[in-house]
Amino acid sequence: MYMVDLIQKKRDGGILSDEEIHFMIDGYTNNRIPDYQMGAMLMAICFQGLNKHETVVLTSEMMHSGDVIDLSGIEGVKVDKHSTGGVGDKTSLVLGPMVAACGCKVAKMSGRGLGHTGGTLDKLESIPGLHVDVSEEDFINQVNDCHLAIIGQTKALVPADKKLYALRDVTATVSCIPLIASSIMSKKLASGSDTILLDVKYGEGAFMKTKEDAKVLAQTMIDIGKSLNKDTRALISNMNEPLGYAIGNSLEIKEVIDTLNGHGPKDLLELCLQAGSQMLMQAHITDNEISARKLLQDAIDSKKALRCLQAMVKAQGGDDSYIRHPELFEKTKEVISIRSQCSGYIKSLNALSLGIVSMKLGGGRMVKDDDIDHSVGLVLNKKIGDYVSKDEVLLKVYTNTGLSKELEDSIYDAYHICDEFVSKPVLIEEIMK
């Protein structure tokens, strides 16, 4: 079998056999197939696509290219959740403790941020002492003890995806739905959980720009999960504005704590209640959304969910006093208020632009080796549908390096204010199963 023949076959619209996909992934992972040939294949896939069976086989081969975590040592149904990423998306840090407090076993491996989307691990590491590199044995013990662990992926997990993702990034082959779906699902499946809930976002602040593309991606991932015997469901959610009010690592952790104390943003709480309801049903803790929402709300009202977060932080070496006293988080040198230049209703709010501002303040990475300033970011005061008066605060900028005219202009450009009344946007468009 020769790689050049497979490239030609896919280029001409052919369907790759199971054996050919195995040859391709195994050969590339083990350095027998060079980057230039795999790059050509990725481009051929971008143009010709993969059918459902090819996508499932590709995912399975990637999943088995390295370690597959065995979570059989954890009692009960193991649940996992994945978001396709967005600005201010701290959902896992609220949702994980909520469902864990209801009896779910949440064994989650997360990633770091790159570009305008913040990574869950980076947010967690704003808590002093907390470590995300946890051994498999300690991971299992922690989930058994406090029902919740959020850790980094091991280096041996899905090495094929690490190589392919890096190559896709430099060959303009990132935005291909079968490749996106196989990348996400190979990691989720190798992580070992019994169920997977996907939060597939669309809009300016998300990778998928339209609701239609988000639904295609979600259905592709659901099909993969079901083909490999995993209960997989998806939410389609709107990311045309940031989720919640905070953008930035420790600022988002503070908002997580506020939410678990019952004082969080309505959109973040609603997303977690709807996502959590699906997860409780997947874990067979309840069989309907009404009772699931009640259990989740009770977990917040009783502070049981907050105590789950504290227990996880402590188990991973973090200083859990920061959860009880969020005022301990490091403060920035300056907090700059950005005031509205006119009166009216917020018609649109470009989440991508605000995410990039936070990144440029030091809250994210432009390249993988960049250091992160966990204290900086933005806290919004007004969102879509809100009325704002002239000179009223739109948002506050938390910075250690001042605020350049360029970044200030970017913030103002992100807001579109009009005279007519504007309704609040729908957050969750659909739940797919």
Side-chain angles (χ1 to χ4, degrees), residues 20 76 104 109 112 122 169 219 225 247 273 287 298 312 331-332 344 369 416:
E20 287 169 337
C104 283
M109 292 185 178
R112 297 193 179 278
D122 301 310
D169 197 37
Q219 190 61 61
I247 306 169
L273 288 170
D287 61 359
D298 288 347
M312 185 197 82
K331 296 176 175 60
T332 55
D369 295 331
H416 181 193

Side-chain angles (χ1 to χ4, degrees), residues 3 7 28 34-44 167 171 173:
M3 186 64 175
I7 295 167
Y28 185 60
D35 282 349
Y36 60 82
Q37 285 192 314
M38 184 55 78
M41 174 59 82
L42 293 173
M43 189 59 73
L167 188 61
T171 56
T173 55

Side-chain angles (χ1 to χ4, degrees), residues 50-306:
L50 296 173
N51 67 23
K52 179 177 175 179
H53 182 75
E54 286 176 299
T55 306
V56 170
V57 174
L58 174 63
T59 305
S60 180
E61 289 294 336
M62 290 168 63
M63 168 189 169
H64 290 100
S65 66
D67 291 348
V68 176
I69 306 298
D70 180 7
L71 298 182
S72 59
I74 298 174
E75 300 173 3
V77 179
K78 279 73 72 177
V79 300
D80 197 1
K81 167 260 175 194
H82 175 81
S83 169
T84 55
V87 179
D89 184 9
K90 70 283 293 178
T91 310
S92 294
L93 300 175
V94 178
L95 178 61
M98 285 171 63
V99 297
C102 295
C104 283
K105 300 294 179 66
V106 184
K108 180 167 174 54
M109 292 185 178
S110 289
R112 297 193 179 278
L114 187 63
H116 72 280
T117 57
T120 299
L121 301 185
D122 301 310
K123 294 167 191 177
L124 278 174
E125 287 179 337
S126 64
I127 302 170
L130 188 142
H131 55 266
V132 296
D133 296 323
V134 176
S135 71
E136 187 173 329
E137 181 182 359
D138 288 342
F139 180 50
I140 290 170
N141 289 338
Q142 182 177 323
V143 177
N144 275 326
D145 290 342
C146 60
H147 291 195
L148 174 65
I150 302 176
I151 69 170
Q153 293 165 358
T154 68
K155 291 181 180 178
L157 197 78
V158 198
D161 181 64
K162 292 181 177 68
K163 289 194 70 176
L164 284 170
Y165 195 93
L167 188 61
R168 286 166 58 207
D169 197 37
V170 296
T171 56
T173 55
V174 171
S175 57
C176 171
I177 283 176
L179 296 178
I180 297 169
S182 59
S183 173
I184 292 170
M185 290 300 291
S186 62
K187 293 191 286 281
K188 290 290 102 182
L189 291 162
S191 298
S193 288
D194 300 311
T195 74
I196 301 167
L197 180 71
L198 303 160
D199 178 9
V200 183
K201 298 185 179 297
Y202 74 92
E204 287 297 328
F207 189 70
M208 309 308 291
K209 298 305 178 187
T210 69
K211 179 171 62 176
E212 292 71 26
D213 283 347
K215 289 177 68 172
V216 173
L217 175 60
Q219 190 61 61
T220 303
M221 293 192 289
I222 290 169
D223 289 343
I224 292 169
K226 288 183 176 179
S227 295
L228 297 171
N229 301 311
K230 297 288 184 181
D231 181 341
T232 306
R233 306 181 187 187
L235 307 178
I236 307 299
S237 65
N238 187 329
M239 186 44 78
N240 279 309
E241 65 176 353
L243 183 63
Y245 293 104
I247 306 169
N249 297 285
S250 67
L251 296 172
E252 292 188 45
I253 293 289
K254 289 180 182 179
E255 189 163 78
V256 166
I257 296 165
D258 282 344
T259 306
L260 293 176
N261 271 309
H263 312 303
K266 290 182 180 179
D267 59 345
L268 174 60
L269 177 61
E270 180 59 25
L271 179 60
C272 291
L273 288 170
Q274 291 210 36
S277 296
Q278 295 300 317
M279 294 173 77
L280 293 190
M281 289 188 288
Q282 286 177 297
H284 308 298
I285 287 174
T286 183
D287 61 359
N288 66 85
E289 291 186 34
I290 294 173
S291 62
R293 283 181 73 100
K294 185 178 186 307
L295 287 170
L296 292 162
Q297 188 63 57
D298 288 347
I300 291 177
D301 295 342
S302 66
K303 302 291 194 267
K304 191 174 179 182
L306 183 67

